[in-house]
Amino acid sequence: MRTLPDQEIVVVGGGLVGAAVAWGLARKGLAPLVLDGEDLSHRASRANFALVWVQGKGVGAPHYSRWTIGAARLWPAFAAALLETSSIDVALRQRGGFTFALAESEMAMWSGEVEAVAEALGEDAPDHVLLDHARTARMVPAIGRDVVGSIYSPLDGDVNSLRLFHALHVGMVNLGADYRPHSDVSEIVPKAGGFLLKGAWGQIFAGRVVLAAGNGNTRLAPMVGLSAPTVESKGQILVTEKCEPFFPFTSATLRQADEGGVMIGDSQEADASSIATSQDISTVLASRAVRTFPLLANVNVLRGWAGFRVKTPDGLPIYDASSIHPGACVVMCHSGVTLAPLHAHLIADAIADGNATLADDRFSGGRFNVPQS
Amino acid sequence: MFRSLETAKERVSILVDGKAFEADANASVAAALLSAGLSAVRRSVVGAKPRGPYCLMGVCFECLVTIDGVQNRQACMVPVRQGMAVNTQSGARTVEDCAL
């Protein structure tokens, strides 16, 4: 078995989370090695919707709302730092996001969530407004008659997801990180105050290890005394041909990317046994999109794809450092775009400094270790 | 740039950006445009660069033109027809409101 030179710190996973952490570690003067999987590994980062999204997040978990709001507010400075380190403009737009309701029951359900978050946060709550059809149409003239109302939240936005991925990868390497693809880690053995990482490609000894392997963390975390449970969640989207601009804001289910293509999402299926797209779901997505924006009726769909979300049992991130095997930690979440600035700064800083906790203790993986009755 | 190897048995007339052209009745729109000396049929959406028929088999999506008012049609996949109106494109397709 081929043994690669020893490393001070290795990040397992080169998706949005791993690359953001590695970018941050490199910025702190460390030279992390990023071990990434295969081209056909299941990669949430390549199926994401590219939203910087705050609206409605953290119902029953105000610490998650605050964490998300903090990330959204850091985004402009982070986009500037990415440009500086990679020369890539990620096309951040934070003009606000809409949730379009196609029935009064949807309006009641979604506004209830936003109101619950606002009540829990009090003065810290981000702005939001509930709009009826007429007031929505004043801001977004292209909406259809079926839109009964909307929720608008000014802090929401989006980026160009391909450029974000590219910027993180170029930036981390420019800052001193090393990137090694085709290096799926199958086993981690704590050893001599460090960790032996093994895969079909060989093995490497690392002083410290950061697990950022998405759903792969579930298998790896117990090897270093951590817990990273996930539940299955599959999402599917449609992408249209590029169109002239008609929707300068964003929404959780439909957005017009900076280059004109329209992304239509976002389905949720609990059965993630197959990555294939389903025609039934595409039909629902397309139908809702055309009811929201009738002008899409004649627009061609070019692509459709599905991805597996990185979803913990409560949907919140896991940030944890191992107390059994110090030097090992885990970083995982569903919202890898929204939270990227925090992963690149606060989380990477806490890892670089060797802190015993990476973030609010309520994000530790230990929260799931409750005896089942 | 391109020259037909065979003499067309039958010809049709098409309009390209309002100008009449004769085309082999058995040609695709892309072949007709190339025979007419038109190698760039559109400007790309993001970079505004000239684009023309390339793969001629429906794969590359470079030959997009507006045919009889329908935008972004693949010129290489559509046979010419007498009286067909072909328009070259520039930038992203327009979206027109067709309220439900």
Side-chain angles (χ1 to χ4, degrees):
Chain A
M1 186 177 261
R2 188 169 167 223
T3 301
L4 298 171
D6 292 0
Q7 295 289 324
E8 186 187 346
I9 184 161
V10 167
V11 178
V12 179
L16 283 175
V17 172
V21 170
W23 184 94
L25 292 173
R27 208 168 145 91
K28 290 277 279 185
L30 298 170
L33 170 68
V34 178
L35 294 179
D36 206 358
E38 299 297 328
D39 289 343
L40 295 180
S41 297
H42 288 148
R43 293 172 175 278
S45 295
R46 293 184 189 174
N48 78 75
F49 209 65
L51 292 173
V52 174
W53 195 260
V54 170
Q55 190 178 143
K57 276 184 177 164
V59 177
H63 59 292
Y64 180 50
S65 304
R66 286 178 209 279
W67 185 247
T68 299
I69 294 161
R73 293 199 169 123
L74 279 174
W75 249 108
F78 183 55
L82 286 174
L83 180 63
E84 191 189 314
T85 53
S86 70
S87 304
I88 294 166
D89 179 359
V90 300
L92 173 70
R93 302 180 297 194
Q94 283 180 293
R95 298 173 188 150
F98 284 86
T99 299
F100 297 109
L102 296 178
E104 292 296 348
S105 56
E106 292 179 354
M107 191 69 196
M109 179 171 70
W110 294 327
S111 59
E113 290 176 6
V114 173
E115 300 282 338
V117 171
E119 195 173 331
L121 295 190
E123 282 184 0
D124 298 342
D127 290 341
H128 77 272
V129 280
L130 306 182
L131 305 170
D132 61 12
H133 175 90
R135 290 174 69 205
T136 305
R138 229 167 284 152
M139 289 179 76
V140 188
I143 58 161
R145 285 187 216 126
D146 285 0
V147 176
V148 300
S150 69
I151 306 162
Y152 172 71
S153 147
L155 197 52
D156 295 331
D158 61 12
V159 295
N160 179 308
S161 59
L162 297 176
R163 273 196 246 132
L164 170 60
F165 195 84
H166 194 202
L168 284 168
H169 273 248
V170 170
M172 74 182 184
V173 170
N174 285 345
L175 289 167
D178 197 4
Y179 175 75
R180 209 186 129 88
H182 311 298
S183 303
D184 215 16
V185 173
S186 52
E187 193 187 354
I188 305 177
V189 184
K191 187 183 155 188
F195 303 89
L196 193 60
L197 311 176
K198 298 179 181 180
W201 44 273
Q203 61 180 28
I204 196 164
F205 181 80
R208 294 193 279 165
V209 63
V210 182
L211 302 183
N215 289 319
N217 290 334
T218 305
R219 188 173 49 82
L220 296 173
M223 300 176 189
V224 292
L226 289 164
S227 174
T230 44
V231 292
E232 290 189 345
S233 177
K234 179 176 163 184
Q236 189 170 318
I237 64 168
L238 300 172
V239 182
T240 74
E241 57 196 352
K242 293 176 170 67
C243 304
E244 66 178 0
F246 65 90
F247 183 42
F249 305 96
T250 193
S251 100
T253 54
L254 187 152
R255 68 182 197 93
Q256 186 172 26
D258 57 311
E259 292 180 348
V262 182
M263 294 180 79
I264 300 163
D266 77 323
S267 63
Q268 295 233 21
E269 283 175 273
D271 175 13
S273 52
S274 159
I275 193 86
T277 56
S278 143
Q279 204 72 42
D280 293 349
I281 287 175
S282 297
T283 305
V284 174
L285 295 180
S287 161
R288 286 191 66 93
V290 171
R291 288 173 67 199
T292 308
F293 287 104
L295 52 72
L296 289 174
N298 292 331
V299 172
N300 290 305
V301 169
L302 293 187
R303 282 176 275 280
W305 67 75
F308 296 146
R309 291 186 184 82
V310 178
K311 193 171 177 187
T312 61
D314 60 9
L316 273 49
I318 295 176
Y319 305 117
D320 214 348
S322 177
S323 51
I324 301 169
H325 298 291
C329 55
V330 59
V331 181
M332 67 192 288
C333 71
H334 162 245
S335 299
V337 176
T338 302
L339 300 176
L342 290 171
H343 297 159
H345 291 295
L346 294 188
I347 296 293
D349 289 356
I351 293 170
D353 296 344
N355 293 357
T357 53
L358 303 186
D360 189 309
D361 228 16
R362 285 169 289 185
F363 288 128
S364 82
R367 69 182 185 268
F368 300 111
N369 298 341
V370 179
Q372 304 285 318
S373 57
Chain B
M1 189 162 61
F2 290 94
R3 188 166 46 79
S4 188
L5 291 173
E6 296 170 351
T7 313
K9 293 192 182 78
E10 196 189 333
R11 300 188 76 85
V12 293
S13 174
I14 62 170
L15 288 173
V16 180
D17 289 337
K19 197 176 159 194
F21 282 91
E22 289 272 298
D24 184 332
N26 291 315
S28 66
V29 173
L33 292 170
L34 291 173
S35 314
L38 210 70
S39 54
V41 301
R42 67 180 180 104
R43 292 256 161 196
S44 64
V45 177
V46 178
K49 296 287 194 305
R51 289 285 187 273
Y54 181 62
C55 76
L56 296 172
M57 60 182 198
V59 175
C60 75
F61 285 76
E62 294 293 12
C63 64
L64 301 176
V65 292
T66 299
I67 297 178
D68 292 332
V70 180
Q71 302 172 75
N72 277 351
R73 297 211 63 194
Q74 291 172 277
C76 70
M77 301 303 284
V78 180
V80 290
R81 198 178 27 74
Q82 174 62 35
M84 177 182 266
V86 178
N87 286 90
T88 57
Q89 301 186 160
S90 186
R93 64 158 296 157
T94 57
V95 284
E96 55 289 318
D97 205 346
C98 44
L100 292 182

